[in-house]
Amino acid sequence: MLSKFVAAAALAGAVVTAPAAAFDKPQTTYKVFQFPQDRIPRIDGEFSDWDMVPESYVVGQDQMTDQDGGHHNPDKTLNIRVKVGWVKGLNRLYFLYEAKDDYWDFSLPGLHNDTFEVVVDADLTGGPLIDVQHQDIWKPEWVGQRASKTDPRVPGSLTHWYSHGVQAQNYHIMTPHKDKDWAMAWGSPTWIKNFPFANAAQSYKFTPGQSGTYRLEFYITPFDHADPEGPERSVESKLREDALIALGWIVIDYDDVKTDAKNGFWSLSTQRPMFGLASDLPLFKLMPIENAKLEARWSWKVVDMDRRLVAFHDDSVGKATGWHWDFGDGTSSTEQHPIHAFAKPGSFVTILDVTGPDGTSRRSKVWDVQLR
């Protein structure tokens, strides 16, 4: 578990750097590509939106551990590629999953289905999210669920069930999904797999038992608290540039519809129980836009209305080395993130000019800043 200080910092909106040793692969941080806001991927089964993502962002099967689970000999027939993206201002993670397999198993209506299983813990709380294989360390109070007359220490009780998938989420994605939901949200808040909190589109040309290439694009919304009673009682994870999130996936490969034996169980984590223990997840960094042209952007927040004290924040894209703020009241500042007290009430035209190696850019906001 993270310290109370780190958790409090996350709630306050700070960019949190997790102690890497608390998660899997402490020497490795994977990257999440930032899409520009005018090039958000469309979930339509046409994958050209992803062409702009460099190969350096691809997580291949060479990064995954063959867990196998003792079922059969490790499956050597898979070829897996994954890209992950995000868009600044949207609390969504976008995925492109590509897999080649010699035998696609998806004819049965239940859980027996070739699977891409994604687990996300965006606020780095760590700890168990599913009780399977973790009943010895399961502590329901970690996720703050409501009290129950049933014993929280007893697996299967109402309180115990209520905790599943609340503080971190597991998406058991069917590949392909045919005549069934695209994913099983493993836990009590099953609504997280539904639009607008998630969406998916796939492409394939094979039938069950055949070989071929499968492609899937989708997005999910990570939650600090995904309440079983619905989104109205839930808290989305706030995705911020340069922040770390815990994220991982498993590929389960079935090759025999007559049994539940798996021919392959591949995990991005070195720890097989990562599907239910967020502390076993690797870390990903939400990257800035690559090769971004300089563009002035800024935001503001009233700190004290009685004193008309306003905090301004530079949100510019690209490399800025100089800032000039015109507050619209005859005063200015060259700080990057100034705090300014307006002498009189009013509605102000406030302007930020930024300079950098790539030139200059200006952003004015007309009457956004209004003080009484």
Side-chain angles (χ1 to χ4, degrees), residues 8-290:
L11 289 173
V15 174
V16 177
T17 301
F23 292 87
D24 190 53
K25 298 184 178 179
Q27 306 304 318
T28 301
T29 300
Y30 297 102
K31 299 188 298 182
V32 182
F33 178 81
Q34 184 177 157
F35 285 94
Q37 292 174 340
D38 60 351
R39 300 185 67 179
I40 300 174
R42 290 176 57 88
I43 308 302
D44 56 4
E46 201 287 311
F47 307 101
S48 60
D49 296 341
W50 291 86
D51 292 345
M52 67 182 301
V53 182
E55 283 293 303
S56 60
Y57 285 81
V58 173
V59 181
Q61 192 165 352
D62 60 325
Q63 295 291 317
M64 302 180 71
T65 300
D66 183 1
Q67 304 285 358
D68 187 49
H71 294 286
H72 292 291
N73 293 327
D75 184 355
K76 302 297 185 181
T77 62
L78 284 171
N79 185 355
I80 301 162
R81 287 167 50 92
V82 184
K83 295 179 180 179
V84 188
W86 76 295
V87 180
K88 192 173 183 177
L90 292 179
N91 299 323
R92 294 176 177 176
L93 293 173
Y94 292 82
F95 294 81
L96 175 63
Y97 174 64
E98 301 175 286
K100 295 181 180 179
D101 195 4
D102 68 335
Y103 186 103
W104 287 97
D105 195 339
F106 58 104
S107 62
L108 300 180
L111 196 61
H112 182 119
N113 199 115
D114 285 345
T115 304
F116 181 51
E117 184 175 357
V118 175
V119 185
V120 59
D121 176 22
D123 64 348
L124 303 175
T125 50
L129 62 139
I130 299 294
D131 69 341
V132 176
Q133 295 189 357
H134 306 297
Q135 295 178 11
D136 56 332
I137 60 173
W138 184 261
K139 295 182 179 180
E141 63 269 22
W142 285 356
V143 292
Q145 74 284 8
R146 295 178 185 81
S148 170
K149 293 182 180 179
T150 54
D151 188 347
R153 296 168 297 176
V154 178
S157 70
L158 176 61
T159 305
H160 197 74
W161 167 85
Y162 198 93
S163 306
H164 294 197
V166 173
Q167 58 89 7
Q169 292 79 51
N170 179 310
Y171 298 80
H172 209 86
I173 301 170
M174 311 302 175
T175 58
H177 51 274
K178 184 179 184 298
D179 303 327
K180 65 175 71 172
D181 273 4
W182 75 283
M184 177 192 74
W186 194 355
S188 49
T190 59
W191 55 267
I192 62 173
K193 65 182 177 181
N194 298 331
F195 187 85
F197 309 104
N199 200 12
Q202 62 184 358
S203 175
Y204 66 96
K205 296 182 179 179
F206 47 80
T207 58
Q210 291 184 334
S211 63
T213 299
Y214 176 78
R215 305 181 84 188
L216 170 74
E217 62 178 346
F218 65 97
Y219 72 76
I220 58 176
T221 304
F223 287 87
D224 292 353
H225 178 88
D227 199 281
E229 295 184 19
E232 296 81 7
R233 308 184 70 102
S234 301
V235 179
E236 291 185 10
S237 302
K238 301 298 182 183
L239 302 184
R240 297 179 175 89
E241 194 169 277
D242 293 323
L244 296 176
I245 63 173
L247 174 67
W249 49 79
I250 293 168
V251 175
I252 303 173
D253 184 36
Y254 291 92
D255 281 351
D256 187 353
V257 296
K258 296 180 181 179
T259 71
D260 280 337
K262 309 176 185 68
N263 280 48
F265 190 101
W266 300 82
S267 170
L268 186 61
S269 171
T270 61
Q271 307 300 316
R272 191 178 190 276
M274 61 143 276
F275 63 85
L277 187 61
S279 302
D280 284 345
L281 293 169
L283 294 175
F284 281 71
K285 184 177 181 179
L286 301 172
M287 300 300 292
I289 291 180
E290 291 204 359

Side-chain angles (χ1 to χ4, degrees), residues 298-324:
W298 56 274
S299 56
W300 64 284
K301 184 176 182 179
V302 175
V303 177
D304 187 332
M305 182 61 79
D306 292 337
R307 294 189 293 159
R308 292 183 286 275
L309 191 64
V310 178
F312 292 89
H313 194 276
D314 168 46
D315 301 319
S316 298
V317 175
K319 187 176 182 180
T321 55
W323 301 265
H324 183 274

